Amino acid sequence: MTATIEAVYENGILRPMGPLPLSEGQAVKLQMDYEVSSEQETERVERILALLQDVQEEAAKLPQEFWDLFDRELQESRMLFTERDEFDSDGQ
């Protein structure tokens, strides 16, 4: 059975805003739908940008031979996916 309820999170506890159709001790599975504040979203984006900056700095330290190998592997994987897509679109 599925039920949609509203609840408030206070002091580490999720408190329902009304009665629940449950027996005492009954286990439930929760799926939460919540809004993220613009401040939280900004912090999240800043963390991601900082990680990307770190990756870029580390990538710049790699030798050209690595990038040549990376490019070859990428091209080969693209060919594999293209061949598979063509095979699938033929219906075979």
Side-chain angles (χ1 to χ4, degrees), residues 11 20 24 29 45 52 54 60 67 71 76-77 81 87:
N11 299 319
L20 300 176
E24 188 66 30
K29 181 189 237 181
V45 169
L52 289 174
D54 290 346
W67 293 112
D71 188 49
E76 287 179 21
S77 67
F81 283 108
F87 181 78

Side-chain angles (χ1 to χ4, degrees), residues 29-59:
K29 181 189 237 181
L30 299 176
Q31 180 175 338
M32 298 189 313
D33 182 20
Y34 59 96
E35 294 185 18
V36 176
S37 72
S38 60
E39 182 179 306
Q40 289 172 315
E41 193 63 28
T42 299
E43 290 173 2
R44 181 175 176 221
V45 169
E46 288 173 351
R47 285 193 310 271
I48 291 170
L49 290 174
L51 288 170
L52 289 174
Q53 180 68 35
D54 290 346
V55 168
Q56 187 177 25
E57 289 171 6
E58 290 301 313

Side-chain angles (χ1 to χ4, degrees), residues 2 12-13 18 21 26 30 34-36 38 49 51 53 60-62 64 67-68 71-73 85 88 91:
T2 302
I13 297 172
Q26 184 175 351
L30 299 176
Y34 59 96
E35 294 185 18
V36 176
S38 60
L49 290 174
L51 288 170
Q53 180 68 35
K61 297 175 186 176
L62 294 170
Q64 184 59 44
W67 293 112
D68 294 341
D71 188 49
R72 284 194 303 274
E73 295 291 332
D85 291 342
D88 290 344

Side-chain angles (χ1 to χ4, degrees), residues 14-25:
L14 195 57
R15 184 178 52 81
M17 308 260 313
L20 300 176
L22 302 171
S23 303
E24 188 66 30

